[in-house]
Amino acid sequence: MKVEMGRTFPANFKALYPEEFELFSHFEVTAAIPTVLFAITTWKENGKPNVCFHAWSCFHGDKTAFFAVMGNLYQHTHTYANIQREGCFCINFLPMSAYDRLVRTIHHNAYEEDEFAAGNFTLSKARSVYAPVIEEAFISMECTLKDVQDLSGAGITAMVTGQVQHISVDEAYARGYEKRYGKDGFMLLVPAPQDLITGEPNQSGIAEVEVRRLD
């Protein structure tokens, strides 16, 4: 037996916080698919560095190019405006130990604020694009803007695709599996899995990757 969910909002679903289902589809917590967490960095129009703690994305390409496809980027944000204006951005992967510092940038994201200072991050400059880089990131991707799509057409979020132009990897993470996975490696967002029977909410999880098998 399977629990079936359609586009109609389930009457028994309870929100974890008041605006949850104004921001997210109920399919988000029905499927609860984990995705990697990272920080998007850009310059604000006033020259202050901007940090956007983000997930809902994938990374892929072919022999001609490699792409960062970022879903669910809100169109009202500084990050969206910065990417549209400058045509570029940087993606920074940090370990779980940086989580609280990244969350601080969410709470100190006013136009006049230096969000690197808010998170106590060291600012470096990208090599190939006009964007700031978090020095503490173990992998940084420098991207030029490839495409923007409003998939729902509602003017709320956008899918932003960047073409990767340059990648920097901390030397300690440059030898295969060592360091990239586990407590010092990638962290993932597990969207709060709703109890599909009772409709009760759950908190989101922050996960680490454990490699269990090699193929």
Side-chain angles (χ1 to χ4, degrees):
M1 178 176 155
K2 294 187 177 181
V3 178
E4 309 290 344
M5 291 283 170
R7 291 184 62 185
T8 302
F9 184 79
N12 68 331
F13 267 30
K14 301 177 182 65
L16 183 64
Y17 48 92
E19 68 273 25
E20 180 177 15
F21 294 114
E22 296 297 319
L23 296 172
F24 299 104
S25 165
H26 63 279
F27 285 145
E28 171 92 4
V29 295
T30 299
I33 300 166
T35 54
V36 66
L37 277 160
F38 54 88
I40 307 167
T41 50
T42 54
W43 293 111
K44 299 177 188 177
E45 195 169 13
N46 62 4
K48 298 287 187 180
N50 183 72
V51 178
C52 176
F53 197 17
H54 192 69
W56 307 285
S57 302
C58 59
F59 304 86
H60 55 82
D62 56 34
K63 67 177 183 179
T64 69
F66 189 66
F67 300 97
V69 183
M70 305 187 301
N72 212 51
L73 190 61
Y74 282 90
Q75 295 183 33
H76 69 272
T77 61
H78 296 138
T79 299
Y80 183 77
N82 298 341
I83 291 173
Q84 292 274 60
R85 185 183 63 255
E86 303 296 347
C88 61
F89 56 92
C90 189
I91 288 174
N92 305 264
F93 296 97
L94 293 110
M96 184 83 74
S97 58
Y99 179 83
D100 290 334
R101 294 158 66 192
L102 288 163
V103 169
R104 282 204 297 273
T105 69
I106 298 172
H107 300 295
H108 296 277
N109 67 351
Y111 179 66
E112 67 279 0
E113 291 192 85
D114 178 335
E115 297 178 35
F116 273 62
N120 194 27
F121 294 120
T122 305
L123 190 152
S124 295
K125 293 183 179 179
R127 292 177 178 268
S128 65
V129 300
Y130 178 64
V133 176
I134 296 176
E135 181 65 27
E136 290 82 359
F138 60 85
I139 296 178
S140 297
M141 292 181 175
E142 301 173 14
C143 304
T144 50
L145 178 60
K146 177 71 172 178
D147 187 47
V148 177
Q149 294 184 56
D150 183 341
L151 295 179
S152 72
I156 300 170
T157 64
M159 183 177 72
V160 176
T161 301
Q163 183 169 343
V164 178
Q165 303 296 334
H166 186 83
I167 295 181
S168 297
V169 182
D170 188 299
E171 188 174 359
Y173 291 76
R175 301 184 65 84
Y177 285 94
E178 189 176 358
K179 295 279 284 185
R180 292 193 194 195
Y181 311 98
K183 68 181 181 64
D184 296 321
F186 295 104
M187 60 175 158
L188 284 76
L189 171 68
V190 182
Q194 204 86 1
D195 185 316
L196 304 184
I197 308 303
T198 68
E200 291 295 325
N202 278 305
Q203 290 180 291
S204 291
I206 309 301
E208 298 166 345
V209 179
E210 180 183 356
V211 177
R212 300 293 297 270
R213 178 173 174 172
L214 298 178
D215 185 8

